[in-house]
Amino acid sequence: MRFVIVGYGRVGSRTATILAEEGHDVVVVDTDIDRLKRVSDDEFETVHGDGSDEDVLVEAGIETADAIGAFTPDLNVNFAACMVGTHHGCRTVLRIDADYREDIYEKYAAEVDEIIYPERLGAAGAKTALLGGDFNVVADLAANLQLTVLEIKEGSPAVGKRMSELELPESARIYAHGRAHEPLTIPLPGTELEAGDEVAIITETDRADAVRAALLPASA
């Protein structure tokens, strides 16, 4: 697959490196020329420029990319990059800081495919470590497994089905479930899914599309 990564800070650089190590084509866009100089020629391509500028993203290959990850600290740049990605048919992943209000989150969440909170992920790892767990185990699974949270929307083939009745790929597991605006908890086999519910899923990366087809409306 081909990915455009906007922002070569801690989040963007690590994401780009993992994708490249897995054999994907990666192009990194950043305004800081010194950051881009740290990238060796055999790692991935780089483009010096503003990730919110469509011409820059076209130079980076957005027209043929499968997805764009906008990971700069500037939410406006990230959102603009994602909107360009949407225009060119890309999957869009937006970085947002955890201290934004819920209404700000909802505004942006409605326009992109996924939102990530780097600070929240770091805090989750720290809490797990403090409680005696090994959060690195989850990180080590990243090459083969994908963790995601999906909302069950009106029109989803999952609405009205019990957990035990869902037709998911054999490798996929729902590990948490929550009603609308309620915390996620461990799911029960007899729980019937409703529109507005959220489910947290772990699946093999190459089966993620099949999971989405089983849980999202056909038009999603």
Side-chain angles (χ1 to χ4, degrees):
M1 299 177 70
R2 183 175 180 84
F3 299 96
V4 174
I5 303 298
V6 176
Y8 196 62
R10 285 178 295 178
V11 178
S13 61
R14 183 59 183 151
T15 304
T17 298
I18 291 172
L19 290 170
E21 287 175 348
E22 293 179 6
H24 300 292
D25 293 328
V26 179
V27 182
V28 170
V29 177
D30 201 293
T31 56
D32 190 330
I33 192 66
D34 292 329
R35 283 182 175 175
L36 297 181
K37 286 179 179 178
R38 300 202 305 262
V39 181
S40 63
D41 292 338
D42 58 352
E43 282 186 287
F44 31 76
E45 300 175 52
T46 63
V47 172
H48 179 232
D50 186 344
S52 64
D53 186 329
E54 183 170 8
D55 290 339
V56 172
L57 293 180
V58 168
E59 182 183 350
I62 194 70
E63 294 169 309
T64 58
D66 294 284
I68 181 170
F71 302 140
T72 79
D74 189 324
L75 179 56
N76 291 323
V77 169
N78 293 345
F79 185 67
C82 285
M83 291 304 93
V84 174
T86 297
H87 175 71
H88 289 282
C90 287
R91 177 172 173 76
T92 54
V93 179
L94 174 81
R95 170 190 170 176
I96 189 171
D97 293 329
D99 56 356
Y100 280 98
R101 301 189 313 272
E102 183 176 353
D103 60 323
I104 298 295
Y105 164 83
E106 291 178 350
K107 171 186 174 182
Y108 288 100
E111 301 292 337
V112 300
D113 291 304
E114 294 288 349
I115 285 181
I116 64 163
Y117 297 90
E119 297 93 338
R120 185 176 293 177
L121 291 171
K127 183 192 78 169
T128 299
L130 288 167
L131 291 174
D134 187 354
F135 191 75
N136 290 325
V137 171
V138 177
D140 291 341
L141 293 173
N144 299 313
L145 300 179
Q146 179 175 322
L147 291 80
T148 189
V149 176
L150 297 176
E151 179 184 350
I152 305 299
K153 299 182 179 180
E154 290 287 356
S156 164
V159 171
K161 289 187 177 179
R162 295 183 175 89
M163 291 285 180
S164 59
E165 297 173 334
L166 293 175
E167 297 179 1
L168 298 176
E170 185 177 349
S171 62
R173 296 289 184 275
I174 293 179
Y175 62 90
H177 163 264
R179 298 297 186 197
H181 306 298
E182 294 182 2
L184 297 179
T185 59
I186 295 174
L188 299 174
T191 299
E192 186 173 297
L193 290 167
E194 302 173 358
D197 288 4
E198 287 187 327
V199 290
I201 304 158
I202 185 167
T203 182
E204 292 178 344
T205 301
D206 60 2
R207 304 299 290 162
D209 288 343
V211 169
R212 291 177 178 276
L215 298 177
L216 297 179
S219 59

